[in-house]
Amino acid sequence: MTASRPRHRSILHALLAQAERGSDASAVTLIPEPGQEETLRYDVLVEAASRCAAALAERGVGRGDRVVLCLPTGAQFMTAFFGAQLLGAMPTAIAVPLRFGGAAGFEGQLKELVGYLRPTAVITVAAVIEGLPDLGGTTLVDGAELYARATAADAPAHPVRLPDDDDLAFIQCTSGSTGRPKGVMISHANLTANCEQITRAVGWTHRDTTVNWVPLYHDLGLFSGILCPVYSGGSAVLMPPARLLRAPAEWLRNISAYRGSVTAAPNFALGYVTARARDEELEGVDLSSWRIGLCGAEPIQPGTVRRFVERFARWGLPSGAITPAYGMAEASLVITATQPGEPLVVDTVERQGLVAEARVTDTDPDAPDAVRIVDCGAPLDGNEVRIVDGDGRTLEEDRVGHVQFRGPARTVGYFELPEVTAESVDAPDWWKTGDIGYLRDGRLRITGRAKDLVIIRGANYFPTDFEQAAETVPGVRLGSVIAVGYRHEEADSEELHLVVETELDRAEHEALRRSVQAAVSSRTGVRAAAIHLVPKRSVPKTTSGKVQRSKARELFVEGWSPAGPDGLPPAAGTDDPAVRP
């Protein structure tokens, strides 16, 4: 399939084109706190990025170097990101720890990342710099000082260097939900190809205003909050991710106030806002301007989408507000997407057929073994998607298998990991996503992750089935359940283990275990070998909120033996404070 030619050769070409409009240019509006607002027009951004590039060059950053950005959402991030690109350097964004002194593992993670990427500079906040030891020669740059230099009218500016198609635009670190992070190399050609694909697919134009809270270190936030608005010439409104958690109604209020037409959110955020935003906080809110709500980055639950749309319909939210999509960092971002305004399409299929026969069979929505799977849309212009079996043979529609894709936005590979890159490619150029799914009418459905499958006595089970069943039990924290398979030394097969967060008192734990066991067994037909109850915020997650099943298995399950009470010996059961993370 041939992709449409991008309107701009690179994101820098796009930024410069918007800047040439001068005072008529669109702008980024930054809202660090309610009542605070900073406007950054694109022409002003170019000037600041050029001065930032000059300051980075003085610190030894040059073409082909890596620059790590550990900065919050804001003008400092945007200036540093484009400033690095103007030098021909490659920015890599990571999360800022909420509390550096208490950010468990951050120092080690940063050292590991620095050892892997070997960046010339790490640009971050003063608190991180104060708490860090020497990073082996890597220059630490205070983001506030760099931004002050970038906005000083008398500071020198670096000449603009426009990139070639094959030059790397940035390196996106994968979330690490199934292993150590890897640096996904995205070229300028990849980036503009996906921006063209996304904006063309959903009709995103210069007339659209984006309202974004998703972190800019996450590819969904980077593309929806900065790159696609710059590419299309539209305006953007950026709010810190923490504001969504502290005051979820602010997201909706900002969409209303700025007449936002484009936004993005993973499934969990829809559920969170539905449950936490209070009616009185939405007085005067008008969501009728909402046109595109990209939803991806994690499995999309039909019930979550339905509740969100129904809850906020009285404030003008359109019925087709949510636009399901599927993608990954290795595709730059989006691989498939539905059309804005389309009704949510959900397949109701037999669970037994999915897990035992790898075949899709429709069933009645009220059937006890019914599974609901959301349609994630057709491949974007220029992309191709196929489903293959374990031997690499292409499967027909309605057959479950491994999802592969190819297209103009596909990564050139992982930074300095040629063997891992080669293992991810199925000749000649199909990328193995690691996801399981099927095609129907040329549109993609995702059923799970290949590495996350729980295999019990030869039958494959999707962990989300167990997790969703457990979350129906009162006392279980939503979004904080992990199902993993584990085979102890004497066993012939894997057994199901559930790691479950709860805030209930210890005296209520035994009853909670029985309730979770009953709910999971009733819904899936599988009895869990053990229910590991853990305190709030114990379940390991990536910076983008994805559960880390392999790490949870390591922390709470490995070493488990059926000898303890209720299958939870002190060595493995996290009721013992000594083994809490």
Side-chain angles (χ1 to χ4, degrees):
M1 185 183 297
T2 302
S4 298
R5 183 182 180 86
R7 283 161 278 175
H8 303 287
R9 186 172 175 181
S10 75
I11 195 65
L12 293 179
H13 285 79
L15 180 61
L16 291 173
Q18 309 310 335
E20 288 176 358
R21 295 165 57 193
S23 59
D24 293 329
S26 297
V28 177
T29 301
L30 305 162
I31 310 176
E33 296 286 344
Q36 299 181 20
E37 179 181 293
E38 178 184 357
T39 300
L40 187 61
R41 229 172 43 214
Y42 288 146
D43 57 332
V44 176
L45 174 59
V46 169
E47 294 175 1
S50 299
R51 297 190 191 104
C52 178
L56 290 174
E58 291 174 5
R59 290 167 168 80
V61 179
R63 181 180 181 184
D65 289 338
R66 275 78 60 201
V67 177
V68 172
L69 309 184
C70 183
L71 294 168
T73 295
Q76 292 180 26
F77 181 99
M78 297 184 65
T79 301
F81 183 88
F82 288 115
Q85 286 193 333
L86 285 172
L87 282 172
M90 294 158 278
T92 294
I94 63 173
V96 180
L98 296 178
R99 298 179 305 279
F100 184 76
F106 176 76
E107 180 182 320
Q109 292 170 8
L110 184 58
K111 282 184 174 179
E112 184 176 19
L113 182 64
V114 167
Y116 168 48
L117 292 179
R118 303 185 310 282
T120 302
V122 174
I123 306 172
T124 187
V125 297
V128 170
I129 294 175
E130 292 169 4
L132 278 176
D134 178 68
L135 287 178
T138 296
T139 300
L140 287 167
V141 180
D142 187 311
E145 294 179 2
L146 184 65
Y147 185 65
R149 167 74 178 274
T151 52
D154 58 348
H158 194 279
V160 172
R161 179 195 174 276
L162 292 174
D164 296 325
D165 293 353
D166 294 337
D167 289 345
L168 294 186
F170 65 97
I171 295 177
Q172 178 71 44
C173 279
T174 59
S175 61
S177 58
T178 57
R180 288 186 176 182
K182 300 182 287 291
V184 180
M185 298 185 291
I186 301 298
S187 70
H188 279 281
N190 295 150
L191 192 163
T192 54
N194 207 218
C195 284
E196 181 69 31
Q197 290 175 314
I198 295 168
T199 55
R200 183 179 293 271
V202 300
W204 192 334
T205 75
H206 67 278
R207 291 183 292 273
D208 285 305
T209 295
T210 304
V211 177
N212 180 73
W213 60 265
V214 183
L216 300 182
Y217 59 78
H218 191 287
D219 48 4
L220 179 61
L222 183 63
F223 271 81
S224 64
I226 295 179
L227 298 179
C228 283
V230 167
Y231 187 84
S232 65
S235 297
V237 177
L238 303 181
M239 53 184 284
R243 295 305 306 170
L244 181 91
L245 300 178
R246 294 173 188 165
E250 282 184 23
W251 177 37
L252 305 181
R253 290 204 300 268
N254 285 332
I255 289 174
S256 176
Y258 293 92
R259 306 311 295 152
S261 52
V262 181
T263 191
N267 185 87
F268 89 88
L270 302 181
Y272 186 83
V273 175
T274 301
R276 301 296 182 93
R278 300 190 302 273
D279 286 3
E280 57 267 28
E281 297 176 296
L282 300 174
E283 183 178 352
V285 165
D286 177 7
L287 300 177
S288 61
S289 63
W290 181 313
R291 195 171 62 83
I292 304 164
L294 288 172
C295 186
E298 66 177 345
I300 303 169
Q301 305 301 328
T304 303
V305 174
R306 177 182 54 77
R307 287 189 294 272
F308 180 83
V309 171
E310 290 178 353
R311 166 79 200 282
F312 300 111
R314 60 184 283 197
W315 287 277
L317 185 70
S319 60
I322 302 305
T323 306
Y326 168 74
M328 60 192 311
E330 290 84 350
S332 296
L333 181 64
V334 180
I335 298 172
T336 71
T338 57
Q339 290 295 304
E342 280 187 341
L344 188 72
V345 175
V346 180
D347 295 344
T348 306
V349 302
E350 292 179 354
R351 176 182 284 107
Q352 181 63 21
L354 283 181
V355 300
E357 303 172 16
R359 187 180 297 278
V360 181
T361 304
D362 292 322
T363 189
D364 188 278
D366 297 324
D369 69 338
V371 178
R372 293 165 180 80
I373 301 171
V374 171
D375 169 19
C376 289
L380 302 190
D381 184 26
N383 285 347
E384 295 177 81
V385 173
R386 71 176 184 180
I387 309 297
V388 301
D389 63 15
D391 296 320
R393 292 187 293 263
T394 302
L395 298 174
E396 65 269 22
E397 292 202 337
D398 283 348
R399 290 296 304 275
V400 179
H402 300 270
V403 180
Q404 297 183 351
F405 83 96
R406 62 184 178 187
R410 203 210 81 181
T411 178
V412 294
Y414 298 116
F415 178 75
E416 293 196 350
L417 295 174
E419 293 182 358
V420 178
T421 299
E423 291 171 357
S424 301
V425 177
D426 195 353
D429 53 6
W430 291 95
W431 191 270
K432 304 173 184 177
T433 67
D435 287 318
I436 301 295
Y438 63 94
L439 290 170
R440 174 171 285 189
D441 298 326
R443 297 161 70 96
L444 181 64
R445 279 76 160 161
I446 299 296
T447 59
R449 287 281 299 173
K451 292 182 180 179
D452 290 339
L453 288 176
V454 179
I455 305 175
I456 301 175
R457 292 182 292 279
N460 295 339
Y461 296 89
F462 303 120
T464 50
D465 283 347
F466 305 124
E467 291 160 358
Q468 291 166 18
E471 288 180 352
T472 64
V473 178
V476 173
R477 296 193 73 237
L478 297 180
S480 298
V481 179
I482 292 184
V484 298
Y486 176 71
R487 187 181 70 84
H488 62 83
E489 193 171 351
E490 295 98 32
D492 294 324
S493 174
E494 280 190 350
E495 297 170 315
L496 172 64
H497 288 248
L498 290 165
V499 179
V500 177
E501 281 189 6
T502 183
E503 297 180 70
L504 294 181
D505 292 335
R506 191 182 180 93
E508 300 176 83
H509 283 192
E510 191 61 36
L512 180 61
R513 285 196 186 94
R514 287 196 294 269
S515 297
V516 171
Q517 182 72 269
V520 172
S521 179
S522 173
R523 180 164 174 175
T524 68
V526 176
R527 178 176 174 80
I531 312 294
H532 304 262
L533 300 183
V534 299
K536 181 180 179 180
R537 288 192 291 270
S538 295
V539 164
K541 297 181 179 180
T542 69
T543 54
S544 58
K546 296 179 182 178
V547 295
Q548 294 177 297
R549 293 190 175 91
S550 59
K551 189 172 183 179
R553 183 187 294 109
E554 176 186 346
L555 286 173
F556 304 120
V557 179
E558 288 183 5
W560 175 86
S561 165
D566 195 34
L568 286 173
T574 51
D575 284 346
D576 181 354
V579 297
R580 293 176 183 172

